[in-house]
């Protein structure tokens, strides 16, 4: 049974994600950070003092890969990890001053990328697209 890839929802979503990721990575590379580090910095700007397990869920990374990346980010002075006072097995993640400055430096790229991606769409269409993609994600993530 033949089908057209450009009519396949999964293919279109994957291609869109790859294109958006390439766009932001080209802007992050001169700053010396990866797309994954960018996601962590953004997540920490929204909420610090989170456990590594919670961060893994927020940035959609497995715990082992995230732990390795956090070790590199800590060595680079972007984050700090501190033991949880209530449970010594847990580590909580915080931005350092350097990490906060870098996060503020890259934030405009995110906004610019989203504006570029939504060119030619009204605010209402962008809102509807987000809602529809949210439904697709929840359907497939269950």
């Amino acid at each position: 049974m033949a089908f057209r890839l450009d009519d396949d929802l999964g293919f279109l979503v994957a291609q869109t994600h790859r294109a958006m990721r390439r766009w932001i990575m080209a802007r992050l590379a001169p700053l010396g950070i990866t797309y994954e580090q960018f996601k962590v910095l953004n997540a920490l700007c929204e909420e610090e003092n989170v456990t590594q397990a919670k961060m893994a869920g927020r940035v959609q990374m497995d715990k082992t890969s995230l732990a390795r990346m956090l070790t590199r980010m800590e060595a680079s002075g972007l984050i700090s990890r501190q033991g949880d006072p209530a449970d010594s097995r847990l580590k909580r993640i915080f931005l350092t001053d350097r990490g906060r400055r870098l996060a503020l430096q890259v934030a405009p790229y995110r906004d610019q990328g989203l504006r570029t991606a939504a060119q030619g769409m009204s605010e209402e269409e962008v809102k509807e697209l987000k809602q529809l993609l949210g439904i697709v994600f929840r359907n497939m993530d269950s």
Side-chain angles (χ1 to χ4, degrees):
M1 175 179 199
F3 65 94
R4 293 172 37 135
L5 283 177
D6 63 354
D7 195 38
D8 181 81
L9 180 60
F11 180 79
L12 290 170
V13 169
Q15 289 297 95
T16 300
H17 176 258
R18 280 194 277 286
M20 293 179 82
R21 185 179 165 124
R22 277 192 312 269
W23 188 95
I24 193 70
M25 286 172 48
R27 282 137 186 95
L28 297 175
L31 300 172
I33 64 169
T34 66
Y35 177 72
E36 288 73 20
Q37 291 171 329
F38 169 74
K39 292 190 308 184
V40 169
L41 290 173
N42 276 302
L44 288 171
C45 282
E46 291 175 18
E47 180 185 11
E48 289 188 79
N49 193 16
V50 296
T51 64
Q52 289 184 197
K54 183 174 180 180
M55 180 60 69
R58 290 191 65 203
V59 298
Q60 298 288 298
M61 287 182 74
D62 68 84
K63 292 176 188 176
T64 304
S65 296
L66 177 66
R68 283 192 302 263
M69 187 182 69
L70 291 175
T71 297
R72 290 189 303 274
M73 291 178 77
E74 193 169 29
S76 297
L78 299 175
I79 62 146
S80 67
R81 290 184 283 186
Q82 300 170 14
D84 186 292
D87 186 342
S88 61
R89 296 170 296 169
L90 300 177
K91 295 278 189 182
R92 296 195 164 270
I93 312 166
F94 299 86
L95 282 172
T96 61
D97 289 340
R98 182 171 185 256
R100 193 173 319 285
R101 284 191 305 273
L102 183 58
L104 292 173
Q105 186 178 357
V106 299
Y109 294 134
R110 179 185 175 275
D111 297 338
Q112 182 186 4
L114 295 176
R115 283 192 307 275
T116 299
Q119 278 180 315
M121 289 190 264
S122 69
E123 286 185 38
E124 189 59 37
E125 287 171 323
V126 171
K127 182 179 178 181
E128 183 177 6
L129 178 60
K130 289 177 184 178
Q131 290 172 339
L132 293 171
L133 288 173
I135 291 169
V136 171
F137 175 75
R138 287 187 297 279
N139 288 344
M140 300 308 294
D141 196 44
S142 60

